[in-house]
Amino acid sequence: MISEQDEQFLRRAIALARQGMTTGRGGPFGAVVVKDGEVIGESSNCVTSTNDPTAHAEVMAIRAACKKLGTFQLDGCTLFTSCEPCPMCLGAIYWARPERVVYAAQHTDAAVAGFDDSFIYAELAKPYSHRSISTEQALQHEARTVFVEWADKHDKVAY
């Protein structure tokens, strides 16, 4: 159930989307991370201004929130985003583990504006040999030894 406070934070995400777009930071997306009623991270999309294809609003807001909290997980947090997260952002969200995600526009709304991520979902469903970006595997045995070392590492920080 969406509360009035949720709507306020969602409106902040939408305002960030508009602000980032009009100031040339990037595309029309904004995100806010909230914990205990306080904004702990927020951002608009910064892809074009930083030349970083991973600088989506959700990722940038997650980075800011984690930095402020001094942790790599967003326990007890809610992520408010102006649009349904793309596949990359959805992955970042699941790794960050917030309690909730609240979004405004749907991915179909973004697609109408030229931000269509359906091709990524289609690519993921294909075997590597049929994807549009050539993907090859090599040195699996050598790389696997690092995972064995990680599994045996006694002072690791699990995540």
Side-chain angles (χ1 to χ4, degrees), residues 79-158:
L79 174 71
F80 295 91
T81 180
S82 64
C83 186
E84 185 177 359
C86 74
M88 178 187 71
C89 292
L90 194 57
I93 290 164
Y94 272 89
W95 281 116
R97 296 180 179 98
E99 186 176 308
R100 299 171 62 216
V101 174
V102 180
Y103 66 92
Q106 293 184 318
H107 71 277
T108 52
D109 300 316
V112 170
F115 298 94
D116 189 1
D117 54 14
S118 63
F119 76 96
I120 297 173
Y121 288 109
E123 285 287 298
L124 292 174
K126 297 177 185 176
Y128 285 120
S129 61
H130 291 87
R131 292 184 183 175
S132 62
I133 296 176
S134 177
T135 304
E136 301 174 59
Q137 182 185 18
L139 303 177
Q140 179 182 7
H141 176 73
E142 290 180 32
R144 190 181 305 151
T145 63
V146 179
F147 290 113
V148 171
E149 292 170 22
W150 172 261
D152 294 338
K153 185 172 172 51
H154 298 290
D155 60 344
K156 67 185 169 208
V157 177

Side-chain angles (χ1 to χ4, degrees), residues 43-59:
S43 186
S44 62
N45 177 290
C46 301
V47 169
T48 58
S49 62
T50 62
N51 294 320
D52 179 353
T54 69
H56 289 202
E58 296 91 336
V59 171

